[in-house]
Amino acid sequence: MILLWGLPGDGPLRAVYEVLRRRNCRPAFLNQHDLRHTSIKLTVADQASGVLSLKGENIRLEDIQAVYLRPYETLSLPCMRDLDKSHALRQHALNVEDLLLSWIELTPALVINPLEAMASNNSKPYQASLIQQFGFAVPDTLITTNPQAALAFWQRHEKVIYKSISGTRSIVSCLTEKQRARLELVRWCPTQFQQYIPGDDYRVHVVDQQLFACHIYSPAADYRYASQQGASATIKACLLPELIQERCRLLARGLGLLVAGIDLRCTPEGEWYCFEVNPSPAFTYFEQETKQPISQAISSLLVEGRESEIYPFFSSLSYGETCSHENLSTCGDEGPRSRE
Amino acid sequence: MLLIVAHRWDTSARRLAQRWTDAGHRAGLLTSADLLTPHWQFVTGQALTSTACIAGERVAGEEISGVLMRLASISARELPELAEQDRAYAADEMTAFLRSWLTELSCPLLNRPTAVSLAGPAWRHERWLAAAARIGIPVVPLYKQAVALGTRTSEPATDLEPGAQPAEGTAQITVIGEQCLSDGDPSLQSQARLLARVAGVELVTLHFSGAERGAAFVAADTWPDISANPRLEPAVLAYFRRLGRQRGEQA
């Protein structure tokens, strides 16, 4: 039995669910909208066992071979808003979440992804120190509440960006003269500044041993918000140098992640920087743009366990460019747009 | 400087910092209030040359000789100086910052921050129970349930309400590094050290059902109240001194 946990409207979860259904796998879907109809019984000794009931269907926890987790924060769900702390639904929902998380920490089932492994993303500089151990470069980073220190860092690097330190999503932005006066505000909260790294963006989705890499063409500081920054973003599947591929695999594995979205940038000099490893990547956007079979790979991982080789990474090239990026300057027409 | 990282309202931590200072140690209490000062500078990878603000004093990272962790994360309610709509974000940023800075310090930390918590691995009670059972320590199996709303059940009541703390055992063994503070059976002490190692914690108080051999594991507390155990405070200081010397020799 395969268990999916989250909301039916969640893109990645829905994509994997549909693939599993087409494979006649009949996954169980723990829908967070249906928590009031969900029961769980858990017994813990040297193992965790019990029963999960979803709208009357009973599932032995020991029968669950794999789990794909994409739950939203329980208290942020629409049905939870405005509920008093003592409300029965609120208490029940938190209880279900607590017991499920307890079971997930103890189960021998394959979990995408283990909770502890995902937590490194809650502190970007903390994660960056781990990333460095796998051979990727990381930008010079200053975290400060001292406006003068921020100014000195900016002067030293000439071009810097700022972004959140925690897992809270932020738009990566370049520091400009307009923000100079606002640097005084850093005294109220540690703020992260990084040297700006010029180059081309790559997103690599790692699914166990499989890699799905794509090259992102955008002049925006943060391609995810290109339109807000008056730019566009074009995504194409690509083949990374073998060394970088292996680093990505080792990095995901080293962080304990079976599925990861790795953000890379390659400089004009050919140096590879890693900005972040996303432990719960919203891969459907990239899958739609490149036709890379990421949801199929995740489904295979859930069904067959680790080291599935049904979808070798090079199968993604039939939909995209085949340019080797050992040296970007030889890429020809598919080369990156010029940076500011 | 010995550092205690705690919530603003942790009077026990505040008293401890004062006792250490009165005893002649250079000690300080770091709270969220210190993170609201314009003194912090940390270039990642260079924690030794970082500048912190501890109890209003500027301190270089290399001056910190030991850290006692007394909080898992900064919470929004610890930041009344900030606008209400900014507190949750600032709390998350401060927690993330501390995780990075603290893990880069070269001094001993009790307990070393992890990705999950600033105060160590933050295991749930169930995980402690399973870990104890897996290394051969007797446990009483735990039963919990959450029943769908509107459902009648004849099942026995939950042993432990989710979120509730398990009862303390009659015997406690505190592990600090390789040292045990306990009057319990030596076999329990061995089990306690092993369980602490499995959990990856350097400081923990383990509760057992008794002090005799074969007693069952009951609960774990990674935030023991140092002031409540007269043997614990000197043991913590000795731990910092010992680890600090070892790291100085390695350097």
Side-chain angles (χ1 to χ4, degrees):
Chain A
M1 171 64 72
I2 293 168
L3 177 66
L4 307 182
W5 180 17
L7 293 174
D10 178 79
L13 207 62
R14 167 61 63 180
V16 170
Y17 179 74
E18 292 298 334
V19 173
L20 288 170
R21 282 193 55 180
R22 286 198 295 272
R23 295 177 64 156
N24 294 319
C25 288
R26 285 201 70 237
F29 198 116
L30 175 46
N31 184 344
Q32 287 183 281
H33 288 316
D34 289 336
L35 286 173
R36 68 168 50 242
H37 302 298
T38 301
S39 296
I40 179 167
K41 299 175 190 173
L42 184 68
T43 300
V44 177
D46 59 335
Q47 303 288 339
S49 59
V51 178
L52 174 66
S53 298
L54 305 177
K55 285 190 169 178
E57 181 189 355
N58 292 334
I59 303 166
R60 291 192 338 142
L61 294 176
E62 307 89 281
D63 292 340
I64 299 174
Q65 71 187 71
V67 188
Y68 185 29
L69 311 171
R70 284 188 61 87
Y72 287 70
E73 194 181 329
T74 297
L75 294 181
S76 69
L77 297 171
C79 59
M80 294 295 146
R81 287 174 203 157
D82 304 323
L83 290 185
D84 186 76
K85 279 187 180 178
S86 61
H87 195 285
L89 176 58
R90 189 179 192 268
Q91 288 188 342
H92 173 71
L94 291 175
N95 290 346
V96 169
E97 178 187 78
D98 180 61
L99 292 179
L100 272 170
L101 292 177
S102 293
W103 169 71
I104 283 168
E105 286 184 346
L106 297 175
T107 180
L110 183 142
V111 178
I112 302 175
N113 278 310
L115 302 171
E116 281 182 36
M118 290 202 282
S120 73
N121 192 245
N122 290 334
S123 171
K124 300 286 191 302
Y126 172 83
Q127 191 188 65
S129 68
L130 301 175
I131 289 170
Q132 274 186 298
Q133 297 175 30
F134 294 90
F136 286 108
V138 296
D140 284 353
T141 302
L142 169 71
I143 304 173
T144 188
T145 58
N146 185 326
Q148 296 307 312
L151 202 56
F153 185 83
W154 186 10
Q155 289 168 343
R156 185 160 66 252
H157 288 289
E158 296 183 0
K159 191 171 183 181
V160 303
I161 61 96
Y162 58 95
K163 62 183 187 180
S164 63
I165 307 169
S166 67
T168 303
R169 192 159 188 162
S170 67
I171 302 175
V172 178
S173 304
C174 287
L175 200 55
T176 66
E177 283 301 321
K178 284 184 185 176
Q179 284 112 16
R180 182 181 285 266
R182 296 187 69 229
L183 282 177
E184 287 297 316
L185 297 177
V186 303
R187 72 175 307 284
W188 293 110
C189 182
T191 304
Q192 177 173 233
F193 300 93
Q194 288 187 324
Q195 71 173 127
Y196 175 79
I197 303 297
D200 279 359
D201 287 313
Y202 295 81
R203 173 66 169 238
V204 182
H205 288 98
V206 180
V207 181
D208 194 23
Q209 293 298 305
Q210 297 180 70
L211 254 68
F212 303 93
C214 54
H215 189 169
I216 302 152
Y217 300 96
S218 178
D222 190 336
Y223 70 85
R224 300 170 301 172
Y225 302 95
S227 59
Q228 290 184 28
Q229 297 174 358
S232 61
T234 306
I235 299 174
K236 290 187 178 179
C238 70
L239 182 64
L240 296 181
E242 184 64 41
L243 176 64
I244 303 305
Q245 292 180 38
E246 192 55 23
R247 273 187 199 164
C248 287
R249 288 193 191 91
L250 290 173
L251 174 58
R253 194 184 315 160
L255 295 183
L257 300 170
L258 288 170
V259 173
I262 300 175
D263 289 330
L264 304 178
R265 186 170 287 178
C266 185
T267 68
E269 295 77 26
E271 190 172 14
W272 288 86
Y273 282 77
C274 178
F275 293 144
E276 181 181 352
V277 179
N278 190 325
S280 190
F283 62 83
T284 45
Y285 169 60
F286 300 90
E287 186 172 62
Q288 285 161 7
E289 294 294 312
T290 64
K291 303 298 185 286
Q292 290 170 325
I294 302 171
S295 51
Q296 288 175 320
I298 294 175
S299 302
S300 291
L301 179 59
L302 290 167
V303 172
E304 293 150 23
R306 299 184 190 187
E307 298 188 1
S308 166
E309 293 181 354
I310 294 179
Y311 298 101
F313 68 87
F314 56 77
S315 68
S316 65
L317 294 180
S318 58
Y319 299 102
E321 60 185 292
T322 59
C323 176
S324 167
H325 289 80
E326 292 284 356
N327 185 340
L328 284 177
S329 62
T330 63
C331 257
D333 290 340
E334 298 297 338
R337 295 175 189 171
S338 60
R339 295 282 172 189
E340 289 179 13
Chain B
M1 172 184 255
L2 295 176
L3 188 59
I4 303 173
V5 183
H7 295 292
R8 293 198 199 191
W9 52 76
D10 190 341
T11 52
S12 175
R14 199 169 293 278
R15 282 197 301 269
L16 182 62
Q18 188 59 54
R19 274 208 304 281
W20 284 356
T21 301
D22 293 343
H25 303 287
R26 188 182 172 208
L29 183 69
L30 168 59
T31 71
S32 58
D34 295 298
L35 291 164
L36 293 169
T37 62
H39 304 308
W40 288 84
Q41 294 181 51
F42 169 46
V43 173
T44 59
Q46 299 174 31
L48 291 182
T49 57
S50 63
T51 302
C53 179
I54 314 295
E57 178 189 350
R58 288 193 207 208
V59 178
E62 62 186 351
E63 295 178 70
I64 299 171
S65 53
V67 182
L68 180 65
M69 297 301 302
R70 296 276 311 169
L71 57 69
S73 64
I74 301 283
S75 66
R77 62 191 177 111
E78 291 184 77
L79 303 171
E81 296 89 343
L82 302 184
E84 190 172 352
Q85 65 267 27
D86 295 333
R87 291 174 195 166
Y89 174 75
D92 286 346
E93 294 291 283
M94 288 176 179
T95 301
F97 161 65
L98 284 176
R99 177 169 290 116
S100 176
W101 178 66
L102 287 165
T103 51
E104 280 203 32
L105 293 176
S106 59
C107 64
L109 294 94
L110 290 175
N111 284 299
R112 176 162 288 275
T114 64
V116 177
S117 164
L118 292 178
W123 279 11
R124 294 164 184 268
H125 173 62
E126 290 84 347
R127 195 160 175 187
W128 280 105
L129 203 70
R134 287 171 184 173
I135 61 174
I137 302 175
V139 302
V140 176
L142 177 70
Y143 171 74
K144 284 182 166 183
Q145 67 171 344
V147 180
L149 298 183
T151 303
R152 288 183 188 169
T153 177
S154 59
E155 294 284 345
T158 305
D159 290 349
L160 187 66
E161 290 300 320
Q165 293 300 314
E168 293 185 355
T170 60
Q172 298 174 18
I173 300 178
T174 297
V175 179
I176 307 176
E178 288 298 315
Q179 187 182 2
C180 270
L181 302 179
S182 161
D183 295 324
D185 188 272
S187 65
L188 281 189
Q189 295 183 32
S190 295
Q191 289 177 329
R193 275 195 292 270
L194 179 57
L195 183 54
R197 199 175 311 140
V198 165
V201 292
E202 295 292 318
L203 173 64
V204 61
T205 293
L206 298 169
H207 299 260
F208 289 85
S209 58
E212 69 284 0
R213 183 186 187 90
F217 167 80
V218 174
D221 180 5
T222 53
W223 292 9
D225 185 356
I226 293 177
S227 60
N229 184 336
R231 290 191 293 174
L232 190 47
E233 194 172 320
V236 168
L237 290 171
Y239 175 88
F240 285 142
R241 272 198 305 272
R242 187 169 63 251
L243 268 288
R245 260 203 311 272
Q246 287 175 4
R247 292 181 189 193
E249 288 164 2
Q250 286 169 3

